[in-house]
Amino acid sequence: MPRIPATTRDKRRAPSSRRGGHIVRVLFWTTAFLIFFPVFEVLAVRYFDPGYTPLMLIRRIQGRQHPGPAPLLGYRWVRLENVSPFFLKAVWQTEDARFFTHKGFDWVEIDHAVADAKSSGKPVRGASTITMQCARSLFLWQGRSWVRKPLEAYYTVLMEKMLTKRRIFELYVNVIETGDGLYGVEAASKNYWHIPAKKITPEQASLLVAILPSPRERDPLHPNAKVLRHTVTVAHKLRQSPRWPFP
């Protein structure tokens, strides 16, 4: 059997080696992007108010895929000191009462959710903190996804490390969905009651927080029975809530 020269063997191996090297480089740069790009994003919102979010873009694209005009984009940034303390306290006590004491993940609430799921036989209910919800609304997308979950956790850790609690709360009340095409408390208060967010009353705050679990399907001006029940719960928490920690 004739012996294959070494140079010929090297040429045969070269394409395979190049492909392997290309895959390694792609994996390296993809990993580097996934690690460092979120850092830059969180650092940016530390100093600058976001003008647009991926979720807003996704909703616009989804709206254009259905007949009829796409919903208008209602998004008005407002400083935290210009938001009604009734709304801030209602959100705090209803969505994440331990917000100022945990580091992004409420392990007490997570344990309760797991225990409830075991006793009821139902899937584990959401135990998202305000930081987690803010990360989802600001950098990611809505809906259940095993891809989004680790990204959401990573953004949550970064936000808790790089941002103050006050800044996280300010971002949250400005970018969360508050209706179909509405984002943030200022756009919601202008659309529903034609008033600035600073003038929201306790009753309006309770109604607005009550629709947050499904803001595109619920309407604070025409609440159904489920929303009304939730409104009563929110109003009770608002009356019992401690003093808002920021001026």
Side-chain angles (χ1 to χ4, degrees):
M1 182 176 181
R3 186 175 181 181
I4 300 175
T7 55
T8 304
R9 292 199 302 269
D10 292 341
K11 289 180 180 179
R12 290 180 179 179
R13 292 172 184 169
S16 177
S17 299
R18 285 197 294 269
R19 284 195 298 271
H22 177 70
I23 292 173
V24 170
R25 285 193 297 273
V26 169
L27 290 175
F28 172 80
W29 287 113
T30 300
T31 302
F33 177 83
L34 291 175
I35 291 174
F36 292 109
F37 186 68
V39 175
F40 296 138
E41 286 187 293
V42 175
L43 188 62
V45 299
R46 178 177 178 175
Y47 300 105
F48 303 103
D49 302 332
Y52 214 71
T53 68
L55 180 61
M56 296 177 192
L57 178 60
I58 291 171
R59 295 299 191 216
R60 292 292 289 175
I61 294 173
Q62 291 174 339
R64 292 183 182 280
Q65 293 175 347
H66 296 89
L72 296 176
L73 173 63
Y75 174 50
R76 301 187 183 189
W77 184 270
V78 62
R79 295 294 177 190
L80 200 62
E81 59 267 23
N82 292 325
V83 179
S84 165
F86 300 121
F87 177 76
L88 297 176
K89 288 195 292 184
V91 169
W92 169 30
Q93 291 300 302
T94 303
E95 297 293 300
D96 186 1
R98 283 178 283 272
F99 173 72
F100 293 104
T101 57
H102 64 61
K103 299 298 182 182
F105 305 95
D106 189 346
W107 298 109
V108 175
E109 189 65 24
I110 291 172
D111 288 342
H112 289 166
V114 172
D116 290 344
K118 287 182 178 179
S119 62
S120 65
K122 297 179 180 179
V124 179
R125 60 179 171 82
S128 295
T129 62
I130 282 176
T131 310
M132 295 167 70
Q133 294 179 55
C134 185
R136 189 185 313 151
S137 297
L138 188 55
F139 303 114
L140 301 170
W141 60 91
Q142 300 292 340
R144 295 182 179 275
S145 168
W146 290 108
V147 175
R148 194 204 70 203
K149 280 295 183 183
L151 288 173
E152 181 183 300
Y154 183 45
Y155 276 108
T156 297
V157 172
L158 291 177
M159 291 172 69
E160 289 284 340
K161 292 290 185 182
M162 300 172 66
L163 307 177
T164 64
K165 287 287 189 178
R166 190 184 193 282
R167 181 57 172 170
I168 293 172
F169 212 99
E170 184 175 59
L171 289 164
Y172 174 79
V173 301
N174 275 285
V175 301
I176 54 170
E177 285 188 291
T178 49
D180 192 12
L182 296 176
Y183 301 89
V185 59
E186 182 75 0
S189 61
K190 291 283 189 181
N191 180 76
Y192 294 129
W193 300 292
H194 310 290
I195 59 173
K198 195 167 187 174
K199 293 186 177 181
I200 291 177
T201 66
E203 294 76 15
Q204 291 166 340
S206 299
L207 278 166
L208 189 54
V209 172
I211 72 165
L212 291 183
S214 302
R216 299 173 71 206
E217 287 78 38
R218 299 178 180 182
D219 185 349
L221 300 181
H222 304 92
N224 57 28
K226 188 173 183 178
V227 171
L228 289 174
R229 288 194 298 270
H230 195 186
T231 300
V232 172
T233 301
V234 176
H236 175 73
K237 290 182 178 181
L238 179 56
R239 287 193 297 270
Q240 302 297 321
S241 66
R243 180 178 177 274
W244 176 246
F246 300 119

